[in-house]
């Protein structure tokens, strides 16, 4: 007997099986129900260097990034805004196809249209770059320290990794 993972089964149950209709300028545009992974390729192009930008932001000196530091990151990469806009257009071209994208751009969407549409589609598609690039480390808070809830040391904690505790019964779990 073999095990089968049927990704098509889940796709058939998508909330928007016929696509996502977007209205703009009195016209309707049909976006796919799920975002094809290769549509995000422009975000990872060397020209855009989005990963380098994110690394600069994450590696800020004190661990937090201010608006000034973000502006500095952009000024160090003067081609970034144009590269990002190009990547965004390539993503929309991938989603709509050549003909659909030509019709879409013929309406001359505003920057606000792109921003609102991108946010709405990201929500529908479930794409959250913030979570995708979330730091694995714990963040420090500038708040008050919490009260200690247990003694600093216990007799059942082994001194070395892998050693047996002094009182084996205390570390047994009740299954």
């Amino acid at each position: 007997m073999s095990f089968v993972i049927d990704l098509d089964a889940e796709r058939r149950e998508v909330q928007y099986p016929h696509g996502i209709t977007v209205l703009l300028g009195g016209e309707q545009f049909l976006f796919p129900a799920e975002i094809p992974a290769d549509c995000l390729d422009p975000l990872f192009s060397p020209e855009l260097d989005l990963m380098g930008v994110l690394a600069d932001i994450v590696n800020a000196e004190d661990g937090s990034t201010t608006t000034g530091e973000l502006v500095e990151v952009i000024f160090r990469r003067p081609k970034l805004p144009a590269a990002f806009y190009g990547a965004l257009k390539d993503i929309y071209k991938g989603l709509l196809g050549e003909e659909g994208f030509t019709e879409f751009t013929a309406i001359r969407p505003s920057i606000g249209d792109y921003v609102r549409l991108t946010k709405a589609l990201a929500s529908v598609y479930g794409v959250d770059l913030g979570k995708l690039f979330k730091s694995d480390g714990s963040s420090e808070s500038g708040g008050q320290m919490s009260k200690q809830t247990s003694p600093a040391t216990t007799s059942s904690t082994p001194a070395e990794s892998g050693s047996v505790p002094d009182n084996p019964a205390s570390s047994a779990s009740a299954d």
Side-chain angles (χ1 to χ4, degrees):
M1 176 185 265
S2 68
F3 186 78
V4 176
I5 298 173
D6 186 1
L7 294 178
D8 289 335
E10 186 174 318
R11 290 177 65 119
R12 285 190 297 268
E13 298 171 10
V14 172
Q15 187 176 1
Y16 310 100
H18 303 294
I20 301 163
T21 302
V22 173
L23 304 174
L24 179 66
E27 299 291 327
Q28 284 189 5
F29 299 94
L30 189 63
F31 284 76
E34 291 186 343
I35 188 168
D38 64 349
C39 284
L40 296 179
D41 287 351
L43 290 177
F44 302 104
S45 72
E47 294 80 28
L48 183 59
D49 189 29
L50 186 60
M51 299 310 287
V53 171
L54 291 173
D56 282 355
I57 292 169
V58 168
N59 293 327
E61 285 185 31
D62 63 355
S64 65
T65 306
T66 65
T67 304
E69 289 168 325
L70 291 175
V71 170
E72 188 177 317
V73 165
I74 292 171
F75 279 125
R76 281 194 310 248
R77 292 173 171 83
K79 295 180 181 179
L80 180 63
F84 184 76
Y85 180 61
L88 186 65
K89 287 176 25 177
D90 288 344
I91 291 169
Y92 279 100
K93 192 180 294 180
L95 291 170
L96 292 169
E98 285 288 336
E99 186 178 326
F101 182 72
T102 300
E103 292 171 10
F104 180 76
T105 56
I107 293 176
R108 301 191 65 207
S110 69
I111 292 172
D113 290 334
Y114 276 107
V115 169
R116 286 185 295 276
L117 180 56
T118 301
K119 287 168 102 176
L121 287 173
S123 174
V124 171
Y125 287 140
V127 176
D128 186 345
L129 293 178
K131 288 182 182 175
L132 180 64
F133 296 113
K134 181 179 160 191
S135 171
D136 287 337
S138 64
S139 61
E140 304 251 341
S141 75
Q144 266 183 300
M145 299 272 291
S146 59
K147 279 170 96 179
Q148 188 173 351
T149 57
S150 63
T153 60
T154 63
S155 61
S156 65
T157 304
E160 294 179 29
S161 176
S163 65
V164 179
D166 294 338
N167 185 354
S170 68
S171 60
S173 63
D175 291 337

